[in-house]
Amino acid sequence: MKRIVLILLASLALGLWAENHGIGEADLYQAYMQDPSWENLQKAMEHYRTAGETDPEAEVMLAYLAVNELENALVNLDESKDTLSTRTLFSYANLLLELRKYDEAIPLYEKLNESAPKWSCPWRHKGEALMKSHRLADAEAATLMAIETRPDHFDAYIQLATIRKDMGHPAEALDALEQGLTFQDDEGEVNMTDVDFLHLELLKSTGKTQKYDALYKKLKADVPDDPRLQ
């Protein structure tokens, strides 16, 4: 259904483009839709990218090309998901997670949990998908498995703290976060300023006044203009 809507919207945009720019230029998109080969995609993208420097309508057409390619890739990946390697299946699940297709990503993470139960990352990412689906109890369980399979999994602790905060358990959330901070790494997957503000919120809600004041002072010096300090 979504693909039908996409095609209809693209057709409408194409009609407007043809009306304003001429049929010849619109033919590039039509040629791609009829034969989505790399050659036709490249020709259309190069044309609309160049035109987009001065024409917003061209940027719209460029976006439709990108969305079409994404949709085609997702269809191909879904059709071949049972034959993908473990690493590729994980990448595909992560792509669905980024696209907020949580109900599609979660079964893939579950498949990875079954085939590679000691691999922490699919557990953590499944916990994220469940958290964003508001399935907090399941999210907590998956995130705890990420920690069980890798006790120094820093971002899993931060995720666990977030989940427990959302569940209304600030003291348990604070415990998880502070335990995670003992494993802080430099992988760059977690924004430490965001972690500090989560920590600040949990310190406040649990009445840890002295530690709250110290962290607030640090943040005030590091990010004085951050609106979260208000």
Side-chain angles (χ1 to χ4, degrees), residues 123-147 155-174 176-177 198 201-202:
W123 286 110
R124 207 284 296 164
H125 287 235
K126 183 174 78 171
E128 181 181 346
L130 288 163
M131 176 179 68
K132 291 178 176 177
S133 300
H134 308 291
R135 295 166 57 183
L136 296 180
D138 291 336
E140 181 184 36
T143 308
L144 284 168
M145 283 300 301
I147 292 169
D155 50 334
Y157 285 97
I158 306 307
Q159 179 170 290
L160 181 60
T162 302
I163 292 166
R164 287 178 169 173
K165 176 182 73 74
D166 292 345
M167 294 175 78
H169 306 308
E172 293 180 16
L174 180 61
L177 188 147
L198 174 61
E201 180 182 353
L202 294 173

Side-chain angles (χ1 to χ4, degrees), residues 29 33 50 90 95 107 111 113 136-137 170 179 181 185 216 229:
Y29 187 87
M33 291 299 292
T50 301
F90 181 55
L95 174 60
K111 185 176 180 179
N113 295 155
L136 296 180
Q179 186 177 0
L181 288 174
D185 58 32
Y216 184 90
L229 287 170

Side-chain angles (χ1 to χ4, degrees), residues 8-181:
L8 290 173
L9 290 173
S11 298
L12 177 60
L14 184 63
L16 294 172
W17 173 268
E19 182 179 332
N20 293 330
H21 300 274
I23 297 297
E25 293 183 340
D27 284 346
L28 289 168
Y29 187 87
Q30 292 281 29
Y32 161 77
M33 291 299 292
Q34 292 171 6
D35 176 18
S37 64
W38 168 247
E39 181 181 0
N40 286 338
L41 173 64
Q42 190 175 33
K43 286 179 181 178
M45 289 190 70
E46 287 178 354
H47 175 77
Y48 293 123
R49 182 182 292 114
T50 301
E53 294 176 1
T54 57
D55 186 352
E57 286 186 24
E59 290 191 333
V60 172
M61 298 310 303
L62 188 62
Y64 274 117
L65 285 169
V67 172
N68 270 298
E69 278 297 295
L70 174 61
E71 290 293 328
N72 288 336
L74 290 174
V75 168
N76 292 337
L77 286 166
D78 183 66
E79 290 175 349
S80 60
K81 62 186 175 185
D82 292 333
T83 61
L84 297 176
S85 70
T86 299
R87 291 283 176 179
T88 303
L89 185 65
F90 181 55
S91 295
Y92 174 35
N94 292 342
L95 174 60
L96 293 171
L97 176 61
E98 287 296 317
L99 294 171
R100 303 180 183 180
K101 295 177 178 287
Y102 307 127
D103 289 342
E104 296 176 40
I106 290 168
L108 300 184
Y109 289 127
E110 290 174 343
K111 185 176 180 179
L112 289 163
N113 295 155
E114 292 174 4
S115 62
K118 298 298 183 182
W119 187 12
S120 180
C121 292
W123 286 110
R124 207 284 296 164
H125 287 235
K126 183 174 78 171
E128 181 181 346
L130 288 163
M131 176 179 68
K132 291 178 176 177
S133 300
H134 308 291
R135 295 166 57 183
L136 296 180
D138 291 336
E140 181 184 36
T143 308
L144 284 168
M145 283 300 301
I147 292 169
E148 180 178 324
T149 53
R150 184 176 138 197
D152 65 347
H153 198 154
F154 173 61
D155 50 334
Y157 285 97
I158 306 307
Q159 179 170 290
L160 181 60
T162 302
I163 292 166
R164 287 178 169 173
K165 176 182 73 74
D166 292 345
M167 294 175 78
H169 306 308
E172 293 180 16
L174 180 61
D175 287 344
L177 188 147
E178 292 189 336
Q179 186 177 0
L181 288 174

